[in-house]
Amino acid sequence: MAFRRFVTSVVLGIPIGITFFDCVGYVARVDGISMQPALNPNSNTDYVFLSRWDVRNRNIKRGDIVSLVSPKDPTQKIIKRVVGLQGDVVSTLGYKQDILRIPEGHCWVEGDHTGHSLDSNTFGPVAVGLMTARASLIVWPPERWGVLRSELPNRRQPLHTAKSTNYH
């Protein structure tokens, strides 16, 4: 009888768990200093909840911290802040163009620790399809529990924002 309950739990639990991780979200460790001070202050490691739901529903806005597949190395995931959306005009920090209009279906992402991040200033606008999730909460360590706010420093605001940022 106990074996039967165990098998039933596994048979039901695995598909439910996979569906949750694939559709809703998961917890991931954030390494590195590129998102300091928002993440990993004092070189500590933060664990964040990554919401796949927001990316699936195209609910991404300027200031959000997102996880994405690196355009330089598709085996690596990176975490950056969205600075500009399609149609926005942004000033870059060392990219081949000083001012750039973000093409349709793309966004501009940067690390908060300017100069210590491989981001759009290195590889240019990023296809929205490379986004995998939006970081919404710090879940570990306990003293850092909290919601990650979507905010952009005034110095990184787009020069011009597009009227429509709909990715549909």
Side-chain angles (χ1 to χ4, degrees):
M1 197 61 142
F3 179 73
R4 188 174 183 193
R5 275 188 290 196
F6 173 74
V7 170
T8 302
S9 296
V10 169
V11 168
L12 291 175
I14 290 175
I16 291 169
I18 290 171
T19 301
F20 183 85
F21 290 131
D22 189 47
C23 296
V24 179
Y26 59 99
V27 174
R29 185 176 78 192
V30 178
D31 293 318
I33 63 170
S34 71
M35 286 303 297
Q36 286 180 340
L39 298 172
N40 299 341
N42 306 317
S43 298
N44 295 330
T45 299
D46 284 338
Y47 287 80
V48 297
F49 180 75
L50 295 172
S51 170
R52 289 187 182 268
W53 195 258
D54 290 330
V55 171
R56 276 175 135 27
N57 292 327
R58 309 280 190 199
N59 187 24
I60 300 297
K61 55 189 178 300
R62 290 171 207 89
D64 284 350
I65 298 174
V66 296
S67 170
L68 54 138
V69 175
S70 170
K72 288 283 191 198
D73 179 1
T75 64
Q76 183 182 23
K77 285 201 178 155
I78 58 176
I79 191 161
K80 304 295 174 198
R81 189 176 301 275
V82 176
V83 172
L85 301 170
Q86 67 184 13
D88 288 354
V89 177
V90 295
S91 64
T92 69
L93 302 169
Y95 187 61
K96 58 187 172 187
Q97 296 169 258
D98 291 338
I99 296 176
L100 175 82
R101 179 175 301 278
I102 301 167
E104 186 174 333
H106 289 71
C107 63
W108 190 265
V109 296
E110 294 182 358
D112 286 356
H113 197 169
T114 306
H116 298 280
S117 176
L118 292 175
D119 53 28
S120 287
N121 289 298
T122 304
F123 43 72
V126 176
V128 174
L130 293 177
M131 281 189 205
T132 58
R134 182 180 69 83
S136 56
L137 305 164
I138 297 175
V139 298
W140 195 263
E143 64 272 9
R144 295 209 8 91
W145 282 348
V147 174
L148 286 167
R149 296 190 320 233
S150 295
E151 58 186 6
L152 277 177
N154 285 335
R155 61 182 173 70
R156 295 311 305 140
Q157 294 289 331
L159 300 174
H160 172 75
T161 56
K163 288 188 175 32
S164 173
T165 54
N166 189 352
Y167 289 112
H168 297 281

